[in-house]
Amino acid sequence: GESVGLHLPTLSVQEGDNSIINCAYSNSASDYFIWYKQESGKGPQFIIDIRSNMDKRQGQRVTVLLNKTVKHLSLQIAATQPGDSAVYFCAERAQNTGNQFYFGTGTSLTVIP
Amino acid sequence: DSGVTQTPKHLITATGQRVTLRCSPRSGDLSVYWYQQSLDQGLQFLIQYYNGEERAKGNILERFSAQQFPDLHSELNLSSLELGDSALYFCASSVWGTAQETQYFGPGTRLLVL
């Protein structure tokens, strides 16, 4: 099956600092990636996506970087706020796996006020 | 609020029993996805429906089944429940069910099998 792993299961940052959450994937045929945020007791919430023909994509306070050479994905959150505390998942999709999404187990981000 | 609703929010039942989880997609979405999330695992894709028809199947057990009705709501049926079926079950929806669409997730149903 697919392997979508996260380097760090937990991450603590000071409020106002930047956060970087990493994700490794194993399928070189993956062509679409999404970052989700999941707060306690809630379902995953779409944050940002990126297609394999891009290296970087920016949203509001978030940036996703894709390095296809080493099959690595990262989510950067600028000026982290207490409301950013949540579990963050990366998900990958590849046509050679029936276009299903495979999700990592998640990184828990805690923002220290 | 994603616009996807799921009921019930919590469900406690015993081994061997059968339960039905319900999902209403966002208004206008034709495709529904079901996922299972265990404590030590990421989201596992179970099954996808589009406009009433099964479109894709993931790691769904034979004891589990699902359907999507004409009004586009979906039900996930879990039978002969085992302790290991305890998990969060999420429903997600998208407009066309295509590969590069954003899926919007519901709040989930937390199932506890005792």
Side-chain angles (χ1 to χ4, degrees), chain B residues 3-60:
Chain B
V4 178
T5 60
Q6 289 186 248
T7 57
K9 192 168 184 177
H10 301 280
L11 198 50
I12 302 175
T13 188
T15 55
Q17 296 298 305
R18 172 190 169 97
V19 297
T20 298
L21 313 183
R22 183 187 168 103
C23 168
S24 292
R26 292 187 321 155
S27 177
D29 284 1
L30 299 175
S31 191
V32 169
Y33 308 76
W34 285 99
Y35 292 88
Q36 179 192 58
Q37 185 179 43
S38 302
L39 276 176
D40 58 350
Q41 293 186 4
L43 284 165
Q44 302 287 321
F45 169 71
L46 295 178
I47 198 164
Q48 178 197 1
Y49 280 83
Y50 173 75
N51 205 22
E53 300 290 327
E54 181 183 306
R55 173 166 280 188
K57 216 167 192 176
N59 300 321
I60 188 166

Side-chain angles (χ1 to χ4, degrees), chain B residues 45-98:
Chain B
F45 169 71
L46 295 178
I47 198 164
Q48 178 197 1
Y49 280 83
Y50 173 75
N51 205 22
E53 300 290 327
E54 181 183 306
R55 173 166 280 188
K57 216 167 192 176
N59 300 321
I60 188 166
L61 301 172
E62 285 191 9
R63 300 183 286 109
F64 296 0
S65 65
Q67 54 184 328
Q68 185 180 27
F69 295 86
D71 66 353
L72 301 177
H73 89 273
S74 178
E75 292 181 355
L76 178 67
N77 301 296
L78 315 176
S79 61
S80 303
L81 285 167
E82 302 175 358
L83 295 177
D85 297 328
S86 296
L88 272 167
Y89 290 85
F90 288 103
C91 167
S93 73
S94 67
V95 179
W96 302 111
T98 58

